[in-house]
Amino acid sequence: MSPVTAASPTLDRDLLLKAAQERLLRSEWSRVQLRSFQGGALQSALKHAVNASPYYRETIGDRLAQGAALKDLPVLTKRALMENFDRIVTDPRLSRQLVEGHLGGQSSGSLLLGEYRAVATGGTTGERGVAVFDPAAWLSAIANMVRFQAIVGIDETTRSVAIFASSPVHISYHIGVELRALRPPAPRFNVLMPIEEIVEGLNLNQPEVISTYPSFVRVLVGEQQAGRLKIRPRLFRTSAETLTEEVRELAAETWQAAIADSYVCTEAGPMGHECLLGDGLHLAEDSFVFEVVDGDDRPVPDGVEGAKLLVTTLANRALPLVRYEISDIVAMATEPCRCGLPFWRIGSIAGRREETLRLPRRGGGTVNVHAHRLRSPLTGAAGVRQFQFVQLPDGLEIAIAVFEGADAAAVHAAVELGVRAALEAVEAEPAEFRVRVVDAIARSGGGAKQKLVVSGGD
């Protein structure tokens, strides 16, 4: 079989920079100006969805005609999006079968029908999804990223490299293609390459900025501490996995480098980014409407963790998303950021609902424990390079990979002792509990992410 054709940038450089500059100017607006702009864009997006999409015409048309507010409209899950894809898209030439066929073919890196950027995700949920961006939506998506990068000091002269997915079906791959076209020439990396090749390339390139997954920052820390990697980046940009304070501290201790996290959803595109203060993710409210809700889709106050985040897109006319459900457990900030940006922020992301472990409770019954509650014994244990929670039918397994030269038995003992204490603190008493040392924990899906939680059958 012939190899998949690599993607090329599709956006005109001058047009992209102009769009990014327009968004940078919005960053200087007052919050009142921003909310006014967002409100007008929302009404336009909803009107278009009802007029052009059979699905939305049937599900929200009458409600909007009667003056219903956004919060009164139905939620769209990933499963509903996939089941109704052909009726949600507004171009009758598009269908889920066509998109999936394109993504599964040898030209998945090219534009579908000569105009649509198609991407797919298995995500943390393991449930496959596909999405398309029309030309204006793709321009908006990349311009949002360029805007937020400019806010943290990245421009067209910055020596920058990205280490993300290797598959041209994944959105991070295509974002990287577009951004590389703006910057000085740099080597192409992906997280599935041999680490020796990545280390050699980084040593030769000496990037100022590295964009990658939080879990891969930990890998690079190990290489730097071992003396094989010899770089001096000033900034890391992370995405797609939950960023922990432990990873921030490792970057600061190893390189005196800051980390600015970004927030990207395959179906919606780049949605937010931290400023250099690192005090929450500023949300692109000129391109999206965000709602944090509880398990019954009721809004929760700022500062309170919701059960999910709902996103309404304002730019993608080909695939409108109205109150699209993302299973991140987030809490909005309670006050404006000291940096002065008008965009409200996600104050914290605890992880995904799918990262919740169901374990036997001491004394009977079960208890739900989010995996992030059990991370401290792992992130604090010297020698741990990677870790993953494995949900067993009646218990828990923790797989760990250790750094070269570490005493695996000592690391194993420290992790087991620490996690047992953490389990006891939340009244969890798994019938089966074990820690297993492995050579490495494989990355999964087209995005090559490292899953925090898998089932015993994965």
Side-chain angles (χ1 to χ4, degrees):
M1 180 182 290
S2 59
V4 173
T5 303
S8 299
T10 62
L11 297 175
D12 177 83
R13 176 188 175 90
D14 292 338
L15 187 63
L16 173 56
L17 291 176
K18 179 181 178 181
Q21 182 60 33
E22 289 174 352
R23 283 156 179 77
L24 267 174
L25 292 175
R26 294 176 196 166
S27 304
E28 300 173 4
W29 284 354
S30 69
R31 181 131 187 92
V32 172
Q33 286 176 292
L34 178 63
R35 291 298 300 270
S36 176
F37 178 90
Q38 183 192 53
L42 174 61
Q43 293 307 310
S44 176
L46 292 175
K47 181 179 179 181
H48 168 77
V50 169
N51 289 337
S53 163
Y55 175 83
Y56 287 120
R57 188 157 50 248
E58 293 177 12
T59 57
I60 68 174
D62 288 344
R63 300 190 196 198
L64 287 176
Q66 295 167 10
L70 181 65
K71 65 181 180 63
D72 298 320
L73 302 180
V75 168
L76 178 69
T77 64
K78 179 184 282 191
R79 178 167 298 179
L81 172 62
M82 292 300 97
E83 291 176 349
N84 297 280
F85 189 89
D86 296 3
R87 300 174 61 247
I88 291 175
V89 290
T90 60
D91 184 339
R93 296 177 299 166
L94 292 170
S95 68
R96 190 179 71 181
Q97 183 178 7
L98 178 70
V99 175
E100 290 181 337
H102 175 78
L103 291 171
Q106 299 306 304
S107 60
S108 57
S110 65
L111 293 176
L112 174 62
L113 300 177
E115 59 179 305
Y116 294 109
R117 172 57 63 207
V119 290
T121 177
T124 309
T125 66
E127 187 170 1
R128 178 176 168 80
V130 299
V132 293
F133 292 80
D134 60 50
W138 189 240
L139 174 64
S140 176
I142 305 304
N144 271 335
M145 185 62 82
V146 174
R147 180 252 304 270
F148 280 122
Q149 289 193 7
I151 288 171
V152 296
I154 303 172
D155 61 23
E156 307 90 85
T157 68
T158 303
R159 293 194 317 279
S160 175
V161 300
I163 313 172
F164 282 113
S166 61
S167 169
V169 307
H170 198 265
I171 194 168
S172 67
Y173 175 97
H174 291 288
I175 292 173
V177 168
E178 301 290 359
L179 295 181
R180 273 197 303 271
L182 295 177
R183 309 270 156 74
R188 296 190 178 192
F189 300 118
N190 68 74
V191 291
L192 300 182
M193 291 171 60
I195 189 61
E196 295 81 7
E197 290 184 28
I198 295 176
V199 167
E200 180 181 8
L202 291 176
N203 284 339
L204 288 172
N205 184 258
Q206 289 295 314
E208 302 170 60
V209 177
I210 298 175
S211 300
T212 190
Y213 302 125
S215 60
F216 204 75
V217 174
R218 298 185 85 250
V219 174
L220 296 179
V221 165
E223 293 299 314
Q224 186 88 10
Q225 292 177 346
R228 293 182 289 270
L229 184 63
K230 301 173 182 179
I231 57 175
R232 297 180 298 278
R234 61 176 171 84
L235 178 68
F236 283 85
R237 290 186 54 260
T238 56
S239 184
E241 299 171 354
T242 301
L243 174 64
T244 64
E245 284 304 311
E246 177 252 356
V247 173
R248 286 192 198 274
E249 292 166 4
L250 283 174
E253 293 168 3
T254 306
W255 296 287
Q256 295 75 54
I259 292 185
D261 201 25
S262 62
Y263 196 33
V264 179
C265 168
T266 296
E267 298 90 331
M271 301 189 301
H273 207 290
E274 288 185 326
C275 66
L276 287 176
L277 295 177
D279 189 23
L281 288 150
H282 290 273
L283 296 169
E285 293 174 296
D286 49 352
S287 296
F288 306 93
V289 176
F290 301 93
E291 305 169 80
V292 180
V293 298
D294 63 18
D296 295 316
D297 302 327
R298 297 173 301 196
V300 302
D302 290 348
V304 176
E305 281 187 356
K308 48 192 162 181
L309 179 69
L310 306 182
V311 177
T312 298
T313 56
L314 305 180
N316 195 344
R317 293 306 200 239
L319 181 64
L321 298 178
V322 178
R323 308 195 83 203
Y324 183 64
E325 179 182 306
I326 298 173
S327 60
D328 288 334
I329 301 171
V330 311
M332 288 293 186
T334 57
E335 57 187 26
C337 183
R338 291 177 289 120
C339 75
L341 287 172
F343 311 108
W344 210 248
R345 320 189 303 295
I346 290 177
S348 65
I349 302 180
R352 294 242 180 185
R353 286 198 311 273
E354 294 77 21
E355 295 171 340
T356 299
L357 300 160
R358 189 172 182 83
L359 301 171
R361 182 192 294 271
R362 185 169 61 244
T366 59
V367 58
N368 290 330
V369 182
H370 199 278
H372 288 272
R373 295 283 300 273
L374 306 178
R375 292 180 71 133
S376 294
L378 292 148
T379 59
V384 174
R385 180 167 61 91
Q386 295 173 292
F387 58 87
Q388 187 174 67
F389 297 93
V390 183
Q391 174 78 72
L392 302 175
D394 202 24
L396 176 66
E397 175 184 278
I398 300 176
I400 61 172
V402 303
F403 284 111
E404 182 181 343
D407 184 336
V411 175
H412 180 286
V415 167
E416 181 170 353
L417 183 66
V419 174
R420 283 192 184 279
L423 289 169
E424 184 175 344
V426 294
E427 299 186 348
E429 194 171 72
E432 187 177 5
F433 172 70
R434 59 178 178 264
V435 177
R436 182 166 58 96
V437 178
V438 299
D439 292 335
I441 295 172
R443 294 180 176 271
S444 61
K449 300 177 187 177
Q450 185 176 306
K451 283 191 173 184
L452 180 62
V453 176
V454 297
S455 71
D458 284 2

